[in-house]
Amino acid sequence: MRQLSLPLIVIVVGLAATPAIAAQQPPVSLSINNSSAAPSKDTSSAPLTGTTEVDMLRGEVEALRAIVDRQSRLLDELDRRLQAVTSTNSEAATVASPTAAVPEDAAPVAVQKPTDEALEKKVDEFVRRWGKLRLTGDIQARYEGFFNQGFDLPVDVPARNRLRVRVRAQLAGDIGSNFDWGIRLASGSFNNPISSQQSLTDFYNRKPIGIDRAYLHFDTKSDGTNLELWMGKFEAPWKRTALTFDEDLQPEGLAQSLWVDVSKDGLLRSVEFTAWQLPYRERAIGADAVLFGGQVLTDWKLSENWGLTLAGTFHDFEQVNVIPVAVAVAPGVVNAGFEYGTTNTVVINPFTNLPEYRSDYRVIDAIVELRNAGPGKDGRWPIVLRADWIHNTSAFNNQKDGGQLEAIIGRRQEQGDWSFDYSFWKVEREAFPSVFMDSEMLIQTNSVTHSARARYMLRKQVEFAWRYFAHRRLATTAADNRWTNHLQFDVQYRF
């Protein structure tokens, strides 16, 4: 628009200004001859020459040029003001009318800047109510093969191959500085508390997902002495191995822990006392079945590269005979008990005609763990040596002990990390309630098992794992006692 209006303004102004300029200019007469004489002072009667006309036209052009320059500067100033007003109106919450006049001395327009105060209030309210949320979990795919099955049966059992998946997802949050909560969902059968693996079978039916954790946790987070409390379904807060409770098992009830800082530089660094009250069968009539227990754990610093942990634990299973009547239930019945059997001694009560354990279970558990930073300074090859021994003080016979030895080298933190471990497992029949022990063992008690595993971090969150087991019964009356070969290959993604 400015390009079209500028010539038009020049022409109009020029036509209007020409008479005025001509009227203001007195006629000038020049006398030009060979002697270059000075101009005559009397020019009233002298006719206009060609040179005089050219000079007059040149003056008019110069005057018009000055006017055009002024008009151009005026247009530039108006355009600058228009740009400023347009920019201001686009940022304002309300746009002024396009026909409104903008005086030169107008005050700056007050711009209403958009704010996120409402959104911030909603976020603050959400954080106050639910805490800072964290989503974690893993997805695992597994191939599993069993060969030379049968143990002490008179004939071999054909090999078995299966595919399995595991899915776990936990949402957790902080409430203030001392409380936190968590809810975790996991795959797996509702009648198998020691495994969240789900076999790919059953005619492509949907796989069950259940509440694996649901807890509230209090932590004083104080120096010197620290108190923690748990209520709900949570990860066991005491130190354990799969010799007693499978790592997938999430106990339910109450737990308390008191940690004491002994020394920063001394040999003994800290002491921790933990107690728990975990009902595993609540009954409307009769006493509830509850696990009471406690642990004393000490942490030692032997040298710059060596550390030691010693833990002593006691488990008291009250009303333990509710377990035998709940084993080998139909898989389709939800929360009916255990879909697998028990390897402890079971007898039939002649008065009730119900199955019950031959032994009670009040078990001592002692763990020794020795740690070394490993060779090199990059920390990629730490070494862990662990021994776990259990002893049932209430067994009806001498088959009351069990033990596990483990050696681990390597870590599982960054891309390219390797970890290798070996485990030896030997447990007598009455050492511990078998229904809670390591699910990877084909037989939990009265068994001997060797296992070796290699794990590799393809990415920081992606892990490959290979594991081999050799299982056999510890004692049998049969003529044959074969080793069963058990293979696993896992691919796991953690988030």
Side-chain angles (χ1 to χ4, degrees):
M1 181 69 184
R2 179 185 172 186
Q3 292 178 351
L4 295 176
S5 61
L6 181 59
L8 181 62
I9 294 174
V10 171
I11 294 173
V12 173
V13 173
L15 293 176
T18 301
I21 296 174
Q24 293 175 5
Q25 295 291 334
V28 179
S29 177
L30 297 178
S31 176
I32 304 175
N33 53 30
N34 294 334
S35 60
S36 301
S40 174
K41 295 181 180 180
D42 187 8
T43 61
S44 59
S45 62
L48 293 174
T49 65
T51 301
T52 302
E53 292 178 0
V54 169
D55 291 340
M56 291 177 62
L57 291 173
R58 182 179 293 113
E60 292 176 3
V61 169
E62 292 298 330
L64 288 173
R65 182 176 299 169
I67 294 173
V68 170
D69 289 341
R70 288 195 301 271
Q71 294 292 337
S72 178
R73 288 193 297 272
L74 178 61
L75 289 173
D76 288 340
E77 177 65 17
L78 292 175
D79 183 64
R80 185 187 63 79
R81 295 185 182 183
L82 179 62
Q83 294 276 351
V85 171
T86 304
S87 176
T88 301
N89 289 342
S90 66
E91 296 177 0
T94 57
V95 180
S97 172
T99 59
V102 181
E104 294 185 4
D105 57 349
V109 178
V111 180
Q112 181 181 354
K113 297 182 179 179
T115 64
D116 295 331
E117 293 182 0
L119 179 60
E120 290 177 359
K121 289 181 179 179
K122 292 181 179 180
V123 172
D124 291 341
E125 175 64 19
F126 183 86
V127 171
R128 185 187 64 81
R129 179 172 298 181
W130 297 103
K132 298 179 180 178
L133 300 182
R134 301 178 298 276
L135 178 64
T136 58
D138 63 80
I139 303 173
Q140 183 190 83
R142 166 177 290 181
Y143 159 76
E144 197 164 24
F146 306 89
F147 308 93
N148 194 33
Q149 299 187 90
F151 296 109
D152 54 357
L153 295 178
V155 295
D156 191 13
V157 176
R160 180 186 184 186
N161 296 276
R162 65 180 177 181
L163 298 176
R164 313 194 85 188
V165 295
R166 182 183 71 188
V167 179
R168 299 183 296 190
Q170 174 169 297
L171 185 66
D174 298 324
I175 307 175
S177 59
N178 299 107
F179 285 92
D180 62 272
W181 59 272
I183 299 175
R184 186 169 85 169
L185 303 180
S187 58
S189 170
F190 288 117
N191 294 314
N192 187 346
I194 60 176
S195 178
S196 51
Q197 296 284 347
Q198 177 65 57
S199 296
L200 301 183
T201 184
D202 296 333
F203 309 103
Y204 313 132
N205 282 321
R206 295 178 181 85
K207 310 308 177 186
I209 296 288
I211 296 177
D212 194 43
R213 289 180 188 167
Y215 65 88
L216 292 174
H217 174 229
F218 170 78
D219 188 349
T220 60
K221 296 182 180 179
S222 54
D223 297 331
T225 302
N226 190 72
L227 175 66
E228 293 184 70
L229 305 174
W230 292 264
M231 185 179 73
K233 188 174 181 65
F234 46 83
E235 184 178 12
W238 66 89
K239 190 170 185 62
R240 61 174 177 168
T241 72
L243 186 64
T244 52
F245 294 97
D246 187 278
E247 65 177 11
D248 280 351
L249 186 143
Q250 308 296 308
E252 305 169 10
L254 302 172
Q256 309 83 35
S257 176
L258 180 65
W259 177 84
V260 179
D261 185 9
V262 177
S263 172
K264 299 292 186 183
D265 304 316
L267 187 64
L268 176 60
R269 295 305 178 88
S270 64
V271 179
E272 185 173 6
F273 305 91
T274 307
W276 50 91
Q277 308 83 37
L278 309 173
Y280 54 93
R281 177 66 104 184
E282 187 272 336
R283 296 188 288 185
I285 300 176
D288 294 338
V290 182
L291 168 61
F292 296 100
Q295 182 181 82
V296 178
L297 182 144
T298 59
D299 188 41
W300 305 76
K301 182 72 171 179
L302 305 181
S303 67
E304 183 178 353
N305 294 323
W306 287 94
L308 175 68
T309 297
L310 302 176
T313 309
F314 182 73
H315 299 282
D316 181 8
F317 290 87
E318 295 294 325
Q319 306 298 320
V320 73
N321 283 324
V322 302
I323 294 177
V325 297
V327 301
V329 300
V333 182
V334 177
N335 294 337
F338 307 92
E339 65 184 27
Y340 47 89
T342 176
T343 56
N344 305 119
T345 302
V346 176
V347 296
I348 300 298
N349 188 311
F351 300 102
T352 63
N353 201 31
L354 295 175
E356 62 182 33
Y357 280 133
R358 182 67 177 85
S359 297
D360 288 327
Y361 292 92
R362 296 176 179 88
V363 182
I364 297 172
D365 181 12
I367 299 175
V368 178
E369 183 178 276
L370 188 63
R371 300 176 300 276
N372 181 267
K377 297 182 179 180
D378 56 1
R380 297 187 62 182
W381 299 102
I383 300 172
V384 178
L385 303 175
R386 184 183 299 120
D388 189 2
W389 170 74
I390 55 176
H391 174 76
N392 183 9
T393 63
S394 299
F396 82 98
N397 60 12
N398 288 327
Q399 298 181 24
K400 54 188 176 184
D401 295 295
Q404 183 180 22
L405 299 175
E406 295 179 274
I408 307 169
I409 181 170
R411 69 178 189 182
R412 302 157 56 205
Q413 298 177 3
E414 303 294 337
Q415 179 178 347
D417 284 351
W418 282 91
S419 175
F420 303 91
D421 63 79
Y422 165 78
S423 174
F424 173 71
W425 169 292
K426 181 179 179 181
V427 182
E428 295 176 332
R429 187 180 295 275
E430 305 302 315
F432 201 84
S434 66
V435 294
F436 299 125
M437 300 171 72
D438 193 350
S439 64
E440 307 297 353
M441 303 298 160
L442 297 186
I443 43 178
Q444 282 76 23
T445 66
N446 189 35
S447 66
V448 177
T449 297
H450 299 269
S451 73
R453 177 168 49 187
R455 292 186 275 199
Y456 174 69
M457 301 299 296
L458 181 67
R459 298 286 187 269
K460 187 173 183 180
Q461 296 173 292
V462 179
E463 179 184 70
F464 287 167
W466 302 263
R467 193 174 188 184
Y468 167 77
F469 300 85
H471 309 276
R472 193 180 72 170
R473 295 196 192 279
L474 178 60
T476 180
T477 58
D480 194 9
N481 189 14
R482 293 184 296 274
W483 288 97
T484 295
N485 299 312
H486 178 189
L487 300 177
Q488 291 178 346
F489 173 68
D490 298 335
V491 180
Q492 177 174 278
Y493 169 73
R494 297 193 299 264
F495 59 90

